[in-house]
Amino acid sequence: MAFQALQAPGPFMPPAAHLRTAQPHAPDRRETSLDEQKRSFLRMASHELRTPLNSILGFSEILSSELYGPLGAPQYKEYAEIIRSSGHKLLKLVNQVLEIARLEAHAMDFDLRPEPLEPALEDTIAALGDELSDITVEIAGGESLPMVIADPRGLRTVLFHLLQNAAAFSPKGSTIFVSAQRLAGGVQIVIRDQGCGVEPAELPRLMSPFEQGENALTRHGEGAGLGLPIAELTCKAMGGHLTPCFETRKGPDRRRAAPRRLNPVAPPPPGP
């Protein structure tokens, strides 16, 4: 993700020319209208799904904990746990759909401030929990990681989805490498895993919503293909960019670290 300074405004344009270039063609207007209708539907559907989901989660938790007494056969408690677990997965999907709709509509507010990377990475690793149980995360630099300008929640959202994606495609017992360094105009965050990678031609597809990698042999995580698009849109919303850098690994050397994401982030302004 790249958080760069705003570009200087372009050359002055006469009002008449500005009006002519600013008006979209009819196909563009139709496409914009369809996109807005799609986003409105996603927001409405997501909100409407949340209400019954909260009831399902609440009552299934009451049943699984046997709050009002034993259920009888032990299978009932097991079934209630399955209902609760499935409900949480569905709620997570609904929240992601709602989040991506809000990002595409530019309806999310971000409070950009100097933010340390180390606690953001620690929070992200803790949130991933069991998804990293068979994988080691190695952070280069530790306490010397540079500060970045980012929204605290937005930064953790990006790191969460990138690390989750790396973990989903990493073999058991492998390592995910995280590093950050200052560059001209920003800080570059690199997340590398030891997965087999993908073909370069697949990159545009994988960055689109609801698209997933096809390597079922190494992919052991779950998801609807929304993590990477959310990470990319969040980077853009904070004034940055996300650059995928997948590599295909074949043969005996396929376990070498393959870069997944390059994220330049602008450092905080110097103090007085």
Side-chain angles (χ1 to χ4, degrees):
M1 47 188 173
F3 296 87
Q4 301 173 338
L6 294 176
Q7 295 181 351
F12 174 78
M13 181 179 294
H18 176 74
L19 289 175
R20 285 197 300 270
T21 56
Q23 293 180 354
H25 297 292
D28 294 333
R29 289 197 299 269
R30 286 195 296 270
E31 183 176 352
T32 301
S33 177
L34 289 173
D35 287 341
E36 180 56 35
Q37 291 177 17
K38 179 190 73 173
R39 287 192 290 267
S40 297
F41 169 77
L42 291 175
R43 289 194 296 268
M44 180 274 295
S46 298
H47 281 298
E48 292 299 320
L49 284 170
R50 275 181 168 183
T51 301
L53 269 177
N54 286 331
S55 298
I56 292 171
L57 289 172
F59 286 117
S60 62
E61 187 169 352
I62 289 174
L63 291 173
S64 61
S65 62
E66 297 182 319
L67 182 63
Y68 297 110
L71 297 176
Q75 290 87 346
Y76 291 146
K77 183 176 181 178
E78 179 184 353
Y79 297 158
E81 287 283 358
I82 293 173
I83 294 171
R84 188 173 68 90
S85 175
S86 300
H88 276 294
K89 290 179 182 178
L90 186 54
L91 181 61
K92 179 181 176 181
L93 173 60
V94 169
N95 288 336
Q96 287 186 340
V97 170
L98 181 59
E99 184 173 13
I100 204 167
R102 294 176 63 193
L103 285 167
E104 288 181 341
H106 307 287
M108 295 187 69
D109 296 324
F110 292 99
D111 180 19
L112 303 184
R113 64 179 73 171
E115 186 71 16
L117 272 176
E118 184 188 8
L121 284 167
E122 290 177 351
D123 292 345
T124 303
I125 292 171
L128 285 168
D130 292 341
E131 296 186 55
L132 297 174
S133 58
D134 298 320
I135 298 170
T136 301
V137 179
E138 183 176 309
I139 302 175
E143 297 181 358
S144 63
L145 290 173
M147 298 275 288
V148 298
I149 295 293
D151 176 81
R153 178 181 176 276
L155 177 61
R156 284 162 175 78
T157 296
V158 173
L159 293 174
F160 179 89
H161 288 300
L162 296 184
L163 284 173
Q164 185 181 54
N165 176 264
F169 290 91
S170 293
K172 291 184 178 180
S174 63
T175 302
I176 297 173
F177 302 91
V178 181
S179 62
Q181 61 177 333
R182 294 186 183 275
L183 296 179
V187 174
Q188 177 178 273
I189 303 173
V190 181
I191 296 179
R192 300 172 179 263
D193 64 54
Q194 295 179 308
C196 62
V198 298
E199 297 293 338
E202 288 286 290
L203 292 180
R205 181 183 69 82
L206 293 177
M207 298 305 292
S208 299
F210 301 105
E211 294 288 349
Q212 297 177 331
E214 297 178 348
N215 194 338
L217 295 177
T218 59
R219 184 176 184 273
H220 51 80
E222 298 180 351
L226 292 175
L228 294 184
I230 288 175
E232 182 179 34
L233 289 170
T234 303
C235 287
K236 289 182 179 179
M238 293 190 291
H241 71 264
L242 180 66
T243 305
C245 193
F246 293 89
E247 292 180 358
T248 302
R249 297 297 187 191
K250 297 180 179 179
D253 64 340
R254 70 176 188 169
R255 288 178 61 86
R256 290 181 298 163
R260 286 269 177 172
R261 294 288 175 272
L262 294 176
N263 309 337
V265 184

